[in-house]
């Protein structure tokens, strides 16, 4: 599968119907997901690896990993409605080497080779991004994690304290569709970074 095919496949996945403001249910844009996942794949972080997608939402990141040859993917998501859509999305391909876990990420305890996560940005629930980072660093040595560029200093301080260091950094203009009542423009763009971090 080429990057373009991956982006097309991911663009056809179903999204949140009624995103919850409190949980900041912003899906990763399919082009951005494909770009980040393709980089990870070329960097040999995906093929034959056991991967956790924390705060999986409708599953775009973990599904991309499966399509790129992950050995196993754990989707961890606390919201039942998101899980229902995720279930449908995983019917769209043949690979069955995944588990969907309807729990808070704090209750997920398996060790994995890689964590991919686009967690809530911590705008509504303070420091929920930190909670995801802390969890991820407990279960793996390698992480791709998305956060608002605005929170860069906080994020970098957090993972450095957790004895992780950055190897790569990407910046994206994240399109946020007008799915929530409080959004004024049709599509708003916010600057989002993706950090690849590894244990010291
Ligand atoms: N990773 C997906 C979804 C991003 S939105 C994507 O990239 O498209 C963030 C997701 O995290 C939401 O689906 C929200 O329900 C979930 N979430 C928030 N707090 C959580 C927690 N404590 N445990 C598990 N999932 C959580």
């Amino acid at each position: 599968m080429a990057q373009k095919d991956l982006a097309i496949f991911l663009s056809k996945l179903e999204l949140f119907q009624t995103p919850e403001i409190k949980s900041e249910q912003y899906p990763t844009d399919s082009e951005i997901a494909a770009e980040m996942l393709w980089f990870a794949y070329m960097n040999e972080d995906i093929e034959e690896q056991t991967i956790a997608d924390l705060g999986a939402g409708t599953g775009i990141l973990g599904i991309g990993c499966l399509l790129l040859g992950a050995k196993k993917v754990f989707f961890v998501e606390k919201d039942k409605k998101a899980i229902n859509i995720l279930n449908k999305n995983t019917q769209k391909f043949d690979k069955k080497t995944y588990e969907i876990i309807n729990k808070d990420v704090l209750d997920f305890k398996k060790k994995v080779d890689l964590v991919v996560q686009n967690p809530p940005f911590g705008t509504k629930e303070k420091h929920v991004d930190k909670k995801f980072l802390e969890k991820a660093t407990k279960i793996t040595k390698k992480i791709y994690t998305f956060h608002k560029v605005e929170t860069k200093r906080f994020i970098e301080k957090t993972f450095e304290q957790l004895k992780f260091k950055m190897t790569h950094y990407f910046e994206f203009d994240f399109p946020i569709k007008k799915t929530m009542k409080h959004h004024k423009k049709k599509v708003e763009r916010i600057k989002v970074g993706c950090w690849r971090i590894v244990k010291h």
Side-chain angles (χ1 to χ4, degrees), residues 16 23-28 53-61 76-79 82 103-106 117-120 125 128 131-132:
F16 299 109
S23 313
E24 296 185 83
Q25 291 183 321
Y26 299 123
T28 308
D53 180 356
L54 301 184
T58 49
I60 189 163
L61 298 177
V76 187
E77 169 58 53
K78 70 172 181 188
D79 178 43
K103 277 187 185 164
D104 192 293
V105 290
L106 292 185
Q117 58 179 14
N118 173 15
E125 185 190 340
V128 60
K131 173 165 124 177
F132 271 74

Side-chain angles (χ1 to χ4, degrees), residues 86-94 96 98:
L86 173 55
N87 268 319
K88 281 202 238 162
N89 281 337
T90 54
Q91 308 302 307
K92 299 187 179 173
F93 54 91
D94 287 336
K96 295 291 167 238
Y98 61 85

Side-chain angles (χ1 to χ4, degrees), residues 26 176-185 188:
Y26 299 123
I176 304 234
K177 299 217 179 72
K178 196 189 168 194
T179 44
M180 300 185 189
K181 279 201 202 79
H182 69 279
H183 290 157
K184 291 184 192 76
K185 286 186 228 149
E188 241 171 316

